[in-house]
């Protein structure tokens, strides 16, 4: 059984604990699906003021992102590359930190309650695998601290891929 620690510190302290937990949880486990499933569950417990956290996986044959493991309300199943925050982050292979999704051109509203979003692409050996997506019902929820540590989580995940 995996023990989830209590996340009661500052944002940075909670992320540091979360990063250590991700490292311990996926150490020696090469199964990508199992790892992203547990990571989405852990992030859901660790992060405050979010309403959705999970992964979209790149499907090369359709050139789309397809819904993967997540925590939250049911979500959009397919997102074309270049569309919305997730599709744009995937297409450009760079992190998107959006303070107000309603100002983002072409935003795809899978959950009308979402107001801000951060999306981190997962690129391994030059190949797009998918994205980590976190939504919040609050405007301006995400900042550079979130970006730094969520990118670190994705880096740990990529290191587990064989």
């Amino acid at each position: 059984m995996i023990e989830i620690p209590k996340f009661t510190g500052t944002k940075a302290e909670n992320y540091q604990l979360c990063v250590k937990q991700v490292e311990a949880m996926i150490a020696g486990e090469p199964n990508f699906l199992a790892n992203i499933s547990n990571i989405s569950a852990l992030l859901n417990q660790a992060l405050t003021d979010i309403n959705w956290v999970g992964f979209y996986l790149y499907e090369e044959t359709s050139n789309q992102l397809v819904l993967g493991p997540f925590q939250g309300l049911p979500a959009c199943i397919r997102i074309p590359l270049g569309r919305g925050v997730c599709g744009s982050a995937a297409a450009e292979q760079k992190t998107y930190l959006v303070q107000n999704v309603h100002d983002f051109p072409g935003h795809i509203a899978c959950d009308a309650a979402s107001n801000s979003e951060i999306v981190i692409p997962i690129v391994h050996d030059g190949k797009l695998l998918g994205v980590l997506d976190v939504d919040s019902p609050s405007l301006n929820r995400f900042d550079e601290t979130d970006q730094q540590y969520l990118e670190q989580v994705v880096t740990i995940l990529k290191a587990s891929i064989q």
Side-chain angles (χ1 to χ4, degrees):
M1 176 161 170
I2 296 173
E3 185 176 324
I4 304 295
K6 298 284 185 200
F7 294 96
T8 57
T10 66
K11 181 191 276 193
E13 290 169 341
N14 287 347
Y15 269 122
Q16 290 164 6
L17 183 57
C18 184
V19 164
K20 287 179 184 174
Q21 187 69 24
V22 167
E23 289 173 330
M25 210 169 39
I26 68 175
E29 178 52 64
N31 188 286
F32 186 73
L33 184 60
N35 287 337
I36 63 175
S37 296
N38 270 337
I39 289 170
S40 66
L42 177 67
L43 290 175
N44 189 55
Q45 293 299 308
L47 302 180
T48 59
D49 194 26
I50 64 166
N51 60 322
W52 200 93
V53 57
F55 294 86
Y56 279 91
L57 305 176
Y58 179 59
E59 183 179 77
E60 194 170 349
T61 56
S62 67
N63 201 36
Q64 294 181 340
L65 295 171
V66 179
L67 183 63
F70 71 94
Q71 304 284 312
L73 293 177
C76 300
I77 294 174
R78 292 181 174 273
I79 300 174
L81 250 56
R83 290 215 42 235
V85 180
C86 287
S88 296
E92 295 183 31
Q93 297 186 6
K94 71 174 195 174
T95 297
Y96 270 58
L97 196 158
V98 180
Q99 300 296 352
N100 182 346
V101 296
H102 308 290
D103 292 339
F104 189 88
H107 173 250
I108 301 169
C110 294
D111 182 347
S114 294
N115 286 308
S116 60
E117 184 171 9
I118 186 168
V119 179
I120 297 90
I122 306 165
V123 180
H124 182 67
D125 290 340
K127 183 178 176 182
L128 176 66
L129 301 180
V131 299
L132 167 59
D133 179 24
V134 187
D135 294 1
S136 172
S138 298
L139 295 169
N140 305 306
R141 159 61 181 85
F142 303 105
D143 60 20
E144 292 76 22
T145 300
D146 297 288
Q147 181 172 342
Q148 172 192 344
Y149 286 104
L150 291 171
E151 286 176 348
Q152 192 173 349
V153 166
V154 167
T155 297
I156 294 164
L157 171 64
K158 290 188 302 187
S160 74
I161 298 170
Q162 298 179 1

